[in-house]
Amino acid sequence: MNSPILSNPAHSRQNQAAQSQASSSLALYAPVEPYRSFYLKVDAIHELYVEEVGNPNGQPVVFLHGGPGGGISPSHRRLFDPAHYRIILFDQRGAGQSKPSAATDLRAFENNTTWDLVRDLEKIRSTLNIEKWIVFGGSWGSTLALAYAQAHPDKVSGLILRGIFLCTDEELAWFYQGPGVNWLFPDLWEKYIAPIPETERGNLMAAYHNRLFGPDNNEAIACAKAWSQWEAATCHLLSDALAVEEMENSQKALVFARIENHYFMHQAFLKSNQLINDAPKIRHIPTVIIHGRYDVICPVKNAWALHQALPDAELRIISDAGHAYSEPGILNALLESTEKFKSL
């Protein structure tokens, strides 16, 4: 392995920023089933689907999925050594197997904010009698991980963050409004804007919101697919047709698009630049930041800004990757991180 995950302050930022894929390649751990799964009622409306995987007496780590709305999958369990870690995974409010589903019940959007999710994390941690845990999050998961750690720094033993998303107006405009990613993918952009009349394209997120939450279910599904496939098509350095095809599933697309749009219309319920401004609260927490150089969904400047705010963190910019965690260089760095964090 080319470099340690735990920070060495003597390393120069230039050397940290230049890190890329390690010379040796690691593989996902073998498929593993949960030793326990259950529903946790967190308020009068929401019940979260929760899994425990691996070693019941192991080092606790919680996995935070992306989106918001992406949900967990069996492959996420395989990022951690099941012989060592007690792995906690859950579907956030409205997503995956949690109830109610954002695809079929608009009550899923009541009490559904970043700070509700932060409280959910604390309820899961206390319910499972975990004193402190490693928090692992990518994309939106990195947003939630930072918000949680800044609210409860004494409960976090380490942070593994991938594809940093700060949910600023600038980022949202870059990806969903333009000019920005549309200059790189004009062909795919045409498919994204196709469901929206030209007269409403001055505010695409609002136009999508009106349709995703409108009375016409067929229109909502068509818009959900266009929204979700735009992200799926631009997620990898080299476009992955299977990722786009997965968003042909109407229910999956509705959950993903509706929850993302709900959060993004409210700037994820964060104050302006909050996650950077509050970064000093977590400077003492061992942290690794992993980001693809050619990530167009969450530009690498986000990772750089976070590293400026957390100079003791280890920054790994992967030179041949986009946004997806499954890209070889990013996956290798994530697996190296979960191995190194065994020593915490």
Side-chain angles (χ1 to χ4, degrees):
M1 301 177 183
N2 288 341
S3 58
I5 299 299
L6 300 182
S7 175
N8 179 346
H11 287 174
S12 71
R13 289 178 179 174
Q14 182 177 1
N15 288 340
Q16 290 172 323
Q19 288 177 38
S20 181
Q21 183 175 346
S23 57
S24 60
S25 207
L26 302 177
L28 287 169
Y29 290 94
V32 60
E33 294 298 316
Y35 63 80
R36 182 188 180 204
S37 62
F38 61 96
Y39 279 92
L40 179 64
K41 193 167 184 64
V42 290
D43 67 10
I45 298 171
H46 296 275
E47 292 183 70
L48 305 183
Y49 172 74
V50 184
E51 293 182 350
E52 291 187 83
V53 180
N55 181 351
N57 299 311
Q59 184 179 8
V61 59
V62 62
F63 174 89
L64 305 183
H65 67 68
I72 59 173
S73 73
S75 63
H76 295 146
R77 306 169 191 156
R78 301 174 60 193
L79 290 160
F80 311 92
D81 181 354
H84 177 85
Y85 283 109
R86 180 185 181 188
I87 309 154
I88 314 302
L89 308 97
F90 72 102
D91 288 319
Q92 296 160 28
R93 297 188 182 206
Q97 297 182 65
S98 289
K99 299 182 287 189
S101 169
T104 56
D105 191 338
L106 294 185
R107 291 181 306 147
F109 299 94
E110 296 179 35
N111 307 334
N112 196 338
T113 72
T114 301
W115 306 110
D116 290 306
L117 301 185
V118 166
R119 284 187 286 273
D120 290 347
L121 275 160
E122 270 299 273
K123 184 152 189 175
I124 293 169
R125 186 193 60 76
S126 61
T127 298
L128 297 179
N129 295 312
I130 293 171
E131 182 180 354
K132 297 178 74 170
W133 51 8
I134 296 168
V135 181
F136 179 116
S139 192
W140 161 256
S142 75
T143 319
L144 181 56
L146 287 167
Y148 172 76
Q150 290 168 9
H152 300 282
D154 58 324
K155 305 305 180 186
V156 180
S157 56
L159 286 166
I160 301 174
L161 307 174
R162 188 268 311 165
I164 304 304
F165 177 47
L166 303 173
C167 206
T168 61
D169 289 339
E170 182 182 39
E171 291 168 83
L172 295 172
W174 158 265
F175 192 72
Y176 290 107
Q177 185 60 46
V181 182
N182 60 315
W183 287 10
L184 301 175
F185 298 95
D187 49 340
L188 301 178
W189 180 260
E190 284 300 315
K191 295 179 182 179
Y192 165 64
I193 64 174
I196 308 301
E198 288 189 25
T199 54
E200 296 183 53
R201 291 178 185 172
N203 190 335
L204 286 164
M205 284 206 304
Y208 263 101
H209 182 83
N210 292 338
R211 289 160 177 80
L212 289 169
F213 294 90
D216 187 331
N217 191 57
N218 289 331
E219 184 177 45
I221 291 171
C223 285
K225 289 180 179 180
W227 174 286
S228 303
Q229 289 178 336
W230 163 241
E231 183 164 332
T234 54
C235 190
H236 297 75
L237 180 61
L238 301 177
S239 188
D240 184 338
L242 181 59
V244 177
E245 184 181 336
E246 286 178 354
M247 289 303 179
E248 275 297 317
N249 181 300
S250 298
Q251 179 156 324
K252 185 170 185 176
L254 274 171
V255 168
F256 190 76
R258 278 177 169 169
I259 297 179
E260 280 202 338
N261 183 274
H262 165 70
Y263 271 75
F264 299 166
M265 288 289 290
H266 295 91
Q267 288 73 44
F269 307 92
L270 297 169
K271 297 175 184 176
S272 178
N273 213 34
Q274 179 172 344
L275 299 179
I276 297 297
N277 291 339
D278 287 351
K281 296 178 180 179
I282 59 171
R283 184 167 174 173
H284 64 285
I285 298 174
T287 300
V288 61
I289 302 166
I290 299 164
H291 209 107
R293 170 72 71 185
Y294 300 106
D295 185 338
V296 299
I297 296 177
C298 300
V300 71
K301 68 175 289 188
N302 296 350
W304 188 252
L306 183 60
H307 184 245
Q308 301 300 297
L310 297 175
D312 297 326
E314 181 79 9
L315 174 62
R316 303 189 65 175
I317 297 177
I318 310 303
S319 65
D320 54 355
H323 184 67
Y325 87 92
S326 58
E327 294 180 83
I330 291 178
L331 182 59
N332 199 70
L334 291 171
L335 291 166
E336 286 186 355
S337 301
T338 62
E339 281 297 300
K340 287 286 186 179
F341 270 40
K342 287 179 178 180
S343 66
L344 290 180

